[in-house]
């Protein structure tokens, strides 16, 4: 049986033993150790093996499902916006038609009321008129008529607007009005000329009758 070595440990053996002890101490954290080379290099660790994560710990939907859900939500939002726009357009058309019908009715009532009025009427001091820029009326000649009830009772008003050429000749006549206007209240109907845009006409307040 060989006797234990009692002499000093050779340097190379000391390096090997040190590497082995390091591997044992680091076994819980290192996956492997290597011995030094002939030049006395230290121990090196082997690269960690990639681990596939456990998918059962994930939450939510995979990317493809998320994209599909997002596309569905966008499509739904666009459809809702389109429906809302269509609804708003329909309401605007209905409102415009209602306003035009009301203006036509008021104009017809004003024309009827003024048919037998002698002179210029009894309400010239309650009616004013201002021309509107053609840029705001689609190129049409138009006059904004301001009717103010200056009495202490409800009243209706009939107004005649004549459009005259440069010689003072009446080329066109329009009628506007306000019905059941409360005391102190004001309405502003618009008298539109249907003549071509190039016609050089001037609107003139011809008659205003309170009834």
């Amino acid at each position: 049986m060989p006797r234990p070595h009692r002499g000093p440990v050779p340097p190379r053996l000391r390096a090997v033993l040190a590497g082995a002890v390091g591997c044992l101490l680091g076994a819980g954290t290192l996956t492997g150790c290597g011995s030094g080379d002939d030049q006395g290099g230290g121990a090196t660790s082997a690269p960690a093996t990639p681990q596939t994560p456990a998918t059962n710990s994930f939450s939510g939907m995979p990317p493809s499902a998320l994209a599909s859900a997002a596309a569905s939500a966008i499509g739904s939002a666009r459809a809702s916006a389109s429906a809302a726009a269509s609804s708003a357009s329909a309401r605007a058309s209905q409102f415009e038609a209602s306003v035009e019908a009301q203006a036509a009715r008021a104009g017809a009532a004003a024309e009827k009321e003024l048919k037998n009025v002698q002179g210029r009427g009894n309400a010239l001091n309650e009616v004013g008129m201002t021309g509107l820029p053609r840029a705001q009326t689609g190129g049409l000649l138009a006059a904004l008529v301001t009717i103010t009830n200056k009495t202490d009772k409800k009243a209706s008003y009939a107004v005649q607007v004549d459009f005259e050429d440069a010689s003072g000749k009446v080329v066109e006549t329009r009628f506007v009005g306000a019905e059941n206007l409360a005391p102190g209240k004001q309405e502003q109907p618009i008298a539109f000329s249907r003549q071509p845009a190039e016609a050089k006409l001037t609107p003139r307040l011809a008659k205003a009758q309170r009834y």
Side-chain angles (χ1 to χ4, degrees):
M1 179 177 182
R3 291 188 294 176
H5 179 74
R6 301 291 185 182
V9 180
R12 183 179 181 187
L13 180 58
R14 188 182 299 116
V16 172
L17 291 174
V21 171
C23 284
L24 289 174
L25 293 176
T29 56
L30 300 178
T31 58
C33 295
S35 62
D37 55 17
D38 289 345
Q39 302 300 320
T44 59
S45 61
T49 302
Q51 299 293 323
T52 302
T55 57
N56 58 5
S57 65
F58 292 164
S59 62
M61 294 179 289
S64 59
L66 284 173
S68 177
S72 177
I74 292 172
S76 177
R78 286 177 176 170
S80 297
S82 178
S86 297
S87 178
S89 177
R91 289 196 301 270
S93 297
Q94 292 173 358
F95 177 74
E96 182 179 4
S98 175
V99 170
E100 288 180 353
Q102 183 178 356
R105 182 170 56 83
E111 182 177 7
K112 180 180 178 180
E113 185 64 29
L114 289 171
K115 183 176 296 185
N116 298 319
V117 171
Q118 301 298 319
R120 300 186 63 193
N122 62 8
L124 286 176
N125 66 332
E126 296 176 74
V127 178
M129 192 172 64
T130 305
L132 292 176
R134 291 180 184 264
Q136 297 179 9
T137 62
L140 294 175
L141 177 61
L144 178 68
V145 179
T146 301
I147 303 171
T148 305
N149 183 354
K150 297 181 180 181
T151 72
D152 57 358
K153 297 179 181 180
K154 277 188 177 181
S156 296
Y157 292 82
V159 179
Q160 176 181 326
V161 178
D162 289 340
F163 291 90
E164 301 176 347
D165 61 15
S167 67
K169 178 183 177 181
V170 176
V171 177
E172 184 180 17
T173 296
R174 306 295 293 178
F175 298 93
V176 296
E179 296 179 318
N180 299 317
L181 195 59
K185 296 300 182 179
Q186 188 178 87
E187 282 193 18
Q188 292 183 305
I190 299 176
F192 283 97
S193 169
R194 297 296 189 267
Q195 297 300 308
E198 61 271 14
K200 303 298 183 181
L201 302 177
T202 301
R204 183 178 67 85
L205 178 59
K207 294 181 179 182
Q209 180 75 10
R210 181 179 63 253
Y211 62 97

